[in-house]
């Protein structure tokens, strides 16, 4: 409805019914045009062009596989090469999340940037001009009914500040799945946008939805404050159709659609598949106190790290769908309560990652990586218990194995070493493993960890549907 030129940018404010958002529109010389339902496209630069002096800066976002806003007809065999997302080149990116055809990036300045429009296609049509809109999500308005109450939301006279005049939350962490997006503020508030039925009912003081009802046959395209959490959150994780949050008292809450036995809550003595608001998780006996230290939600299962008061150490738990043994219990039976993975009792696990029917676990030395679930072994067999995964094979000494600092798993697995190198394996369609794919229409499989051939030193890697992203 209104546009203003700011330097080389054209900043537009778009109002649709009760939804107000801002778009940062950059003039483009070349773009990759997406299918009709992709409303947000990005220009990319191939690896051959990004080795120029001063062309890479700390915090640049790099993609492997199909680019954001891709045209399936233009997919080429060289998409396995690192490509810089140029539209974010002027920002230092510190975190990124992948949700289907929608991607989110968090800058060092606290900006949340969205490109691709899985959630926004009902409100924004495909642009007809050679420019690419980047959506800056900024309306993280807190509710007085949230865990912080009316703290920071009163004026000098003690009156509640009107909703749109409140200071928006400063975001410090993000996560996303194909159905929804989560954001965690510095004050411990959790915000969410995404498909209807996944997002809890907004608070009554959110005047963007005055009746407090979900948009019918639609989705929330503005951040909804998850005010039902009893305490401030310190960590978040987005699963296929459900969400999890660790609170400041180190308890774990979940909400959303818990289909296929990842319904880890029981209501009135009966299992429930849908939790309209956050509820505490259920654990298998014995019912002693546990301090939750970490959580990772996969497509249909969840992994949790917790310190047990009866043990002098950290235990690893899992629940949910187990058709490929991704829960690590040595069988293929689903679990609707968090159960300890006994095969890892002797290992000091410090990080867990759940993906598409896969689970990964990292031991405290950073040298020992374990995995279970689909296609985890070299012969593509499934493993129902965690097995050791060596980045470098050939009988080398344990001390000579690369030290792992971070890893990510979807269907493909990406492992980042302390020296900034990436090892990858798994389905390599569109070159998402960073290696050339022989057939773009099938799923060539990399059975062993292979180092990606790139001159860039990475700080973070994220595996997602059809694409892998990294921050250099």
């Amino acid at each position: 409805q209104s546009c203003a030129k700011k330097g080389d940018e054209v900043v537009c404010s778009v109002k649709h019914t009760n939804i107000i958002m801002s778009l940062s529109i950059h003039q483009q010389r070349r773009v990759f045009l997406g299918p009709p339902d992709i409303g947000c496209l990005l220009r990319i630069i191939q690896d051959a062009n990004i080795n120029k002096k001063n062309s890479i800066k700390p915090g640049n976002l790099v993609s492997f596989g199909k680019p954001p806003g891709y045209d399936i007809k233009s997919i080429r065999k060289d998409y396995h090469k690192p490509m810089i997302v140029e539209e974010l080149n002027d920002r230092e990116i510190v975190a990124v999340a992948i949700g289907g055809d929608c991607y989110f990036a968090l800058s060092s300045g606290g900006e949340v940037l969205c490109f691709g429009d899985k959630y926004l296609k009902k409100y924004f049509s495909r642009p007809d001009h050679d420019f690419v809109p980047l959506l800056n999500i900024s309306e993280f308005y807190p509710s007085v009914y949230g865990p912080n109450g009316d703290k920071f939301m009163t004026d000098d006279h003690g009156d509640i500040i009107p909703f749109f005049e409140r200071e928006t939350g400063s975001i410090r962490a993000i996560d996303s799945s194909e159905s929804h997006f989560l954001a965690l503020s510095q004050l411990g508030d959790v915000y969410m946008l995404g498909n209807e039925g996944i997002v809890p009912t907004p608070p009554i003081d959110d005047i963007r939805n005055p009746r407090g009802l979900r948009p019918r046959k639609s989705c929330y395209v503005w951040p909804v404050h998850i005010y039902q959490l009893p305490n401030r959150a310190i960590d978040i994780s987005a699963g296929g159709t459900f969400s999890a949050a660790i609170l400041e008292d180190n308890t774990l809450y979940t909400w959303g659609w818990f289909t296929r036995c990842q319904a880890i809550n029981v209501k009135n003595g009966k299992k429930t598949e849908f939790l309209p608001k956050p509820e505490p998780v259920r654990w298998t006996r014995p019912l002693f106190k546990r301090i939750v230290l970490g959580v990772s939600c996969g497509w249909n299962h969840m992994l949790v790290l917790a310190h047990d008061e009866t043990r002098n150490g950290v235990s690893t738990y899992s629940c949910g769908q187990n058709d490929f043994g991704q829960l690590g219990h040595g069988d293929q039976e689903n679990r609707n309560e968090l159960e300890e993975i006994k095969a890892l009792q002797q290992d000091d696990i410090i990080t867990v990652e759940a993906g598409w029917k896969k689970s990964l676990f990292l031991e405290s030395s950073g040298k020992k990586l374990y995995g279970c679930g689909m296609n985890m072994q070299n012969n593509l067999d499934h493993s129902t218990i965690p097995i050791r995964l060596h980045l470098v094979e050939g009988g080398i000494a344990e001390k000579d194995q690369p030290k792992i600092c971070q890893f990510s798993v979807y269907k493909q697995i990406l492992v980042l070493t302390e020296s900034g190198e990436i090892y990858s394996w798994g389905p390599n369609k569109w070159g998402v493993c960073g290696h050339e794919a022989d057939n773009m229409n099938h799923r060539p499989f990399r059975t062993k960890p292979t180092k990606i051939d790139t001159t860039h030193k990475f700080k973070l890697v994220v595996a997602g549907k059809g694409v892998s992203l990294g921050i250099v």
Side-chain angles (χ1 to χ4, degrees):
Q1 290 190 341
S2 63
C3 293
K5 189 168 182 180
K6 185 179 180 180
D8 294 331
E9 284 188 346
V10 178
V11 180
C12 294
S13 296
V14 179
K15 182 176 181 181
H16 188 284
T17 62
N18 293 326
I19 302 162
I20 303 173
M21 288 187 171
S22 61
L23 298 178
S24 177
I25 301 177
H26 299 255
Q27 297 294 331
Q28 300 299 304
R29 292 187 295 274
R30 57 188 175 94
V31 297
F32 288 96
L33 295 179
D37 65 341
I38 299 295
C40 217
L41 315 173
L42 286 183
R43 179 177 51 167
I44 59 175
I45 303 178
Q46 295 182 39
D47 194 295
N49 297 325
I50 64 178
N51 290 323
K52 297 177 182 179
K53 185 177 181 181
N54 297 328
S55 60
I56 277 196
K57 298 179 295 184
N60 279 162
L61 187 62
V62 175
S63 70
F64 305 90
K66 64 180 184 183
Y70 75 102
D71 180 358
I72 190 65
K73 296 180 181 179
S74 71
I75 294 292
R76 306 188 306 271
K77 288 189 176 182
D78 61 355
Y79 275 176
H80 67 282
K81 296 180 179 180
M83 301 182 236
I84 286 186
V85 179
E86 190 180 358
E87 272 57 45
L88 301 178
N89 200 28
D90 59 342
R91 296 172 173 90
E92 182 182 1
I93 303 303
V94 296
V96 65
I98 303 174
D101 289 322
C102 196
Y103 311 87
F104 297 88
L106 177 64
S107 74
S108 58
E111 290 180 292
V112 178
L113 303 158
C114 174
F115 39 103
D117 74 337
K118 184 175 180 61
Y119 310 130
L120 308 178
K121 61 185 178 183
K122 297 179 184 297
Y123 301 99
F124 300 99
S125 60
R126 176 178 174 178
D128 297 323
H129 306 287
D130 277 348
F131 56 70
V132 176
L134 285 179
L135 182 62
N136 188 332
I137 304 176
S138 59
E139 296 187 347
F140 296 96
Y141 292 109
S143 167
V144 296
Y145 301 101
N148 285 302
D150 59 5
K151 190 177 182 180
F152 313 114
M153 284 181 271
T154 56
D155 58 22
D156 295 337
H157 303 288
D159 298 324
I160 300 296
I161 299 174
F163 187 78
F164 281 119
E165 296 178 19
R166 297 172 189 171
E167 184 177 353
T168 58
S170 175
I171 303 304
R172 67 180 180 89
I174 60 174
D175 200 10
S176 179
S177 74
E178 293 185 39
S179 64
H180 63 285
F181 164 78
L182 292 175
L184 176 63
S185 77
Q186 297 284 359
L187 295 178
D189 289 311
V190 177
Y191 298 88
M192 190 173 179
L193 61 86
N195 295 344
E196 63 172 328
I198 307 297
V199 181
T201 302
I204 59 175
D205 58 341
D206 188 342
I207 60 177
R208 294 169 295 187
N209 193 24
R211 292 175 297 174
L213 301 175
R214 289 190 185 86
R216 187 176 180 181
K217 295 182 180 179
S218 184
C219 58
Y220 289 107
V221 292
W222 66 88
V224 173
H225 185 194
I226 310 303
Y227 71 98
Q228 300 92 336
L229 289 169
N231 286 307
R232 292 185 290 267
I234 59 176
D235 197 9
I236 53 174
S237 184
T241 55
F242 66 104
S243 304
I246 302 176
L247 306 188
E248 62 182 356
D249 59 357
N250 293 105
T251 57
L252 180 61
Y253 278 67
T254 55
W255 66 96
W257 282 100
F258 295 87
T259 57
R260 300 190 184 180
C261 285
Q262 82 268 29
I264 52 180
N265 296 266
V266 174
K267 211 168 188 178
N268 299 325
K270 297 181 180 179
K271 297 177 185 176
T272 174
E273 286 197 346
F274 175 61
L275 289 175
K277 63 180 182 179
E279 297 283 353
V281 298
R282 288 181 62 89
W283 309 78
T284 56
R285 295 181 182 274
L287 297 178
F288 49 78
K289 183 178 180 181
R290 298 176 177 91
I291 299 174
V292 179
L293 303 175
V295 61
S296 178
C297 297
W299 182 249
N300 281 319
H301 72 292
M302 184 168 69
L303 304 175
V304 175
L305 283 175
H307 185 277
D308 300 339
E309 64 178 9
T310 59
R311 294 180 54 191
N312 186 22
V314 176
S315 299
T316 309
Y317 294 82
S318 65
C319 68
Q321 189 179 10
N322 195 33
D323 50 345
F324 290 93
Q326 57 264 40
L327 299 186
H329 299 301
D331 55 42
Q332 292 176 280
E333 296 180 6
N334 299 335
R335 306 294 201 279
N336 59 14
E337 294 179 333
L338 283 165
E339 181 176 328
E340 184 180 3
I341 302 176
K342 294 181 174 56
L344 296 173
Q345 283 182 341
Q346 304 303 317
D347 296 283
D348 184 16
I349 302 300
I350 58 171
T351 309
V352 294
E353 282 288 334
W356 179 280
K357 305 181 187 297
K358 291 182 174 74
S359 300
L360 294 181
F361 315 88
L362 181 63
E363 188 257 352
S364 58
S365 68
K367 302 271 187 173
K368 295 180 181 179
L369 182 68
Y370 299 89
C372 59
M374 176 186 285
N375 300 141
M376 196 54 63
Q377 304 189 71
N378 288 344
N379 58 3
L380 306 189
D381 286 342
H382 315 309
S383 176
T384 60
I385 60 172
I387 60 174
R388 178 69 189 281
L389 304 171
H390 294 86
L391 295 188
V392 180
E393 297 184 347
I396 70 170
E398 187 70 47
K399 63 181 180 64
D400 295 327
Q401 284 285 339
K403 188 172 182 179
I404 298 169
C405 64
Q406 188 254 330
F407 55 93
S408 180
V409 55
Y410 182 67
K411 293 182 179 179
Q412 71 275 27
I413 298 173
L414 303 176
V415 177
L416 179 64
T417 68
E418 199 174 46
S419 60
E421 298 173 326
I422 303 176
Y423 289 79
S424 66
W425 67 101
N428 192 37
K429 188 176 182 180
W430 291 314
V432 295
C433 290
H435 309 292
E436 184 173 1
D438 297 328
N439 190 332
M440 305 305 289
N441 298 317
H442 293 82
R443 296 184 182 275
F445 199 97
R446 310 290 297 198
T447 60
K448 297 181 180 181
T450 308
K451 185 165 65 173
I452 294 178
D453 184 16
T454 175
T455 58
H456 314 309
K457 299 300 181 183
F458 286 81
K459 299 176 182 177
L460 180 75
V461 291
V462 177
K465 181 181 178 181
V467 69
S468 298
L469 298 176
I471 298 176
V472 295

